[in-house]
Amino acid sequence: MSSTPPTAADPAPAGAQNNPEKAGAATVSPLHPGINELFALLAYGEVAAFYRLTEEARMAPNLRGRINMASMAAAEMNHYEVLRDALERRGVDVVPAMTKYASALENYHRLTTPSTWLEALVKTYVGDAMAADFYLETAGSMPDEVADVVRSVLSETGHSQFVVGEVRDAVTASDRQRHRLALWSRRLLGEAITQAQYVLADHDELVDLVMSGGGLSQMTDFFDRLQHTHSTRMRELGLA
């Protein structure tokens, strides 16, 4: 999944809602090999998001929409460069490191390819924010220099604010669109959870990283929180 950040209207990351003190002292060593895996996963997500957004910009009905999508795509590549530099400082070649995550992320995008502009907007706003919830859940237990990188590439850019207005206008005008996009949003949630489970199942060092801080020690609780924040975003878009 890509890592387009949640907007300012989004709720706090899932972990922060349930454990506001978690952002205290780090519990993971800066040398933990899972940190390289986390950065590599994020890096591939940024590259995949760039290509997805540039492709979906062609679906926009007007120049404003194409410009907004292009702006978000540019932000994704800026984030990729932050992660590339962080991995290089750790002596890791970013391309082979991130390639191992291609399958799960490409599967997610393949299974959630939008067929309309409105579906593309909902995916940008809702689907990618779920990925941010997952990554930010882990940040509180990381060393400062690691948490800073994670937060910086998932930080608020404001670029996706335009999504809310367009989607809300469309679903207010059409109950059919509202029901259709609500189903689409639930599909995004299901595929995101499925692919997250595949990633964790296939990468032991990454699992050890996210489990060692206690942030995802109760995996069921985490996915419950993910569904709760997803419901909040659906309400923001008028899809509840």
Side-chain angles (χ1 to χ4, degrees):
M1 290 167 283
S2 72
S3 56
T4 302
T7 65
D10 286 333
Q17 292 176 331
N18 289 270
N19 192 359
E21 297 181 358
K22 195 179 75 173
T27 59
V28 175
S29 166
L31 300 178
H32 194 296
I35 292 172
N36 294 343
E37 299 300 320
L38 180 64
F39 285 174
L41 174 58
L42 278 165
Y44 194 90
E46 301 293 351
V47 173
F50 169 80
Y51 284 110
R52 176 178 61 81
L53 289 168
T54 53
E55 290 173 0
E56 292 170 4
R58 300 189 184 99
M59 304 172 74
N62 52 49
L63 180 59
R64 184 183 302 276
R66 289 193 292 275
I67 290 172
N68 280 319
M69 280 293 200
S71 295
M72 287 190 287
E76 301 291 0
M77 287 309 296
N78 289 336
H79 292 159
Y80 162 76
E81 290 170 359
V82 171
L83 291 157
R84 178 202 61 200
D85 293 346
L87 283 167
E88 287 179 351
R89 289 194 297 270
R90 297 174 65 87
V92 178
D93 185 348
V94 63
V95 173
M98 69 181 186
T99 300
K100 68 182 75 173
Y101 294 103
S103 177
L105 291 171
E106 293 302 330
N107 280 340
Y108 170 74
H109 289 304
R110 178 178 57 80
L111 293 168
T112 59
T113 300
S115 59
T116 68
W117 171 241
L118 288 172
E119 286 185 359
L121 292 180
V122 171
K123 181 178 178 180
T124 296
Y125 188 80
V126 175
D128 297 340
M130 291 186 291
D133 286 341
F134 173 81
Y135 297 127
L136 291 172
E137 178 87 7
T138 71
S141 61
M142 301 294 166
D144 287 344
E145 64 270 26
V146 175
D148 287 347
V149 171
V150 173
R151 293 185 181 114
S152 69
V153 300
L154 298 173
S155 62
E156 168 58 40
T157 65
H159 289 137
S160 59
Q161 277 295 95
F162 80 100
V163 172
V164 178
E166 288 206 30
V167 173
R168 289 189 71 93
D169 287 348
V171 301
T172 299
S174 170
D175 282 343
R176 180 176 178 274
Q177 284 284 16
R178 180 167 60 84
H179 293 307
R180 186 170 181 271
L181 292 175
L183 288 173
W184 171 244
S185 182
R186 286 193 286 273
R187 178 178 171 185
L188 292 171
L189 174 65
E191 294 297 345
I193 290 175
T194 297
Q195 297 306 319
Q197 291 170 335
Y198 285 156
V199 167
L200 292 172
D202 290 343
H203 301 283
D204 292 342
E205 290 177 341
L206 185 60
V207 171
D208 184 69
L209 175 72
V210 297
M211 297 290 280
S212 62
L216 299 183
S217 58
Q218 300 296 324
M219 194 67 70
T220 300
D221 290 346
F222 167 71
F223 285 121
D224 286 345
R225 293 196 296 272
L226 195 66
Q227 293 184 61
H228 174 75
T229 54
H230 174 74
S231 296
T232 299
R233 292 181 183 114
M234 287 186 67
R235 287 193 295 273
E236 290 163 358
L237 293 174
L239 299 179

